[in-house]
Amino acid sequence: MELPGAPATYAIIIANLVASVYGLSFDRGFVRSFAFNVGALVNAKQHYRIFTSSFLHGDYFHLLFNMMTLFFFGPPVERLLGTDGFLVIFFGAVLASGIVSFYVNRNNLAYTSLGASDGVSGVVLSFCLFAPLYPIYFMFVPIPIPAIVYGVVYILISANMIGRFGGRVAHEAHLAGAIAGVILTIAMRPGVVAQIFS
């Protein structure tokens, strides 16, 4: 199948690969300097970390999973919304994630997170609105799940998992990114709501 032109999607994937591989394999200090960190935001006012952290990953599986997801879902969303609309979804989700993550962890100056999962979540949920019945296969589940069901379940699980397992996974970031993706998509294309119920 020929992929539609999606320059922003591919640029974000390439930037993630370059920055993450460099940080993982050559300079861990680079990761520490640009990861999301509550103390750096509070004390040093390094607000750029909200965005730079979404181009870094904690390990290669994390990187591969996020980039594969973006590779499959990013191009159709960029085709439907245009490059500018796609960028609004991705970076709007990242910003929403950063704000929520900061609020949830504001009393823990050592809290650190990284990864493109927030922006990717926004893109995936945007796709779910445009193609609610599209079959999505998810890890170890042998049957396809309709995209809209996947989206709802993803949001519910993320909300339920916030604060569990010692905060090793930033579920609040995933949740904020996903909800931002939904809200921004509806704001730009209100017709998707009627499409879901048609």
Side-chain angles (χ1 to χ4, degrees):
M1 181 180 69
E2 185 178 349
L3 291 173
T9 299
Y10 302 139
I12 289 173
I13 290 173
I14 291 169
N16 263 274
L17 291 172
V18 171
S20 295
V21 170
Y22 177 74
L24 286 169
S25 296
F26 301 102
D27 186 0
R28 299 296 295 192
F30 177 77
V31 175
R32 291 190 294 272
S33 296
F34 293 99
F36 179 91
N37 176 263
V38 172
L41 267 68
V42 171
N43 298 322
K45 309 301 181 187
Q46 295 176 349
H47 301 114
Y48 60 82
R49 286 175 178 257
I50 291 173
F51 296 99
T52 57
S53 61
S54 292
F55 291 87
L56 300 167
H57 290 79
D59 56 60
Y60 280 104
F61 176 80
H62 188 202
L63 172 64
L64 181 63
F65 182 81
N66 275 340
M67 293 307 100
M68 285 184 63
T69 304
L70 188 58
F71 179 79
F72 285 114
F73 291 97
V77 171
E78 188 169 352
R79 176 174 56 83
L80 289 161
L81 290 175
T83 295
D84 289 345
F86 170 83
L87 290 172
V88 167
I89 296 294
F90 185 86
F91 287 108
V94 170
L95 178 60
S97 165
I99 292 171
V100 171
S101 292
F102 179 81
Y103 178 78
V104 170
N105 301 286
R106 63 192 181 280
N107 295 321
N108 180 7
L109 296 182
Y111 178 82
T112 300
S113 67
L114 70 172
S117 302
D118 44 12
V120 173
S121 295
V123 171
V124 171
L125 267 290
S126 178
F127 175 87
C128 291
L129 292 177
F130 283 114
L133 299 181
Y134 187 87
I136 294 180
Y137 290 87
F138 183 73
M139 291 190 166
F140 315 119
V141 179
I143 58 173
I145 303 170
I148 194 66
V149 174
Y150 172 86
V152 170
V153 170
Y154 182 89
I155 288 174
L156 292 175
I157 290 176
S158 295
N160 187 56
M161 296 296 287
I162 292 175
R164 298 194 178 192
F165 305 110
R168 288 183 58 83
V169 178
H171 293 289
E172 68 275 7
H174 298 171
L175 176 64
I179 292 176
V182 170
I183 292 173
L184 291 170
T185 299
I186 293 173
M188 288 187 283
R189 295 290 190 276
V192 298
V193 178
Q195 179 179 311
I196 292 173
F197 298 102
S198 63

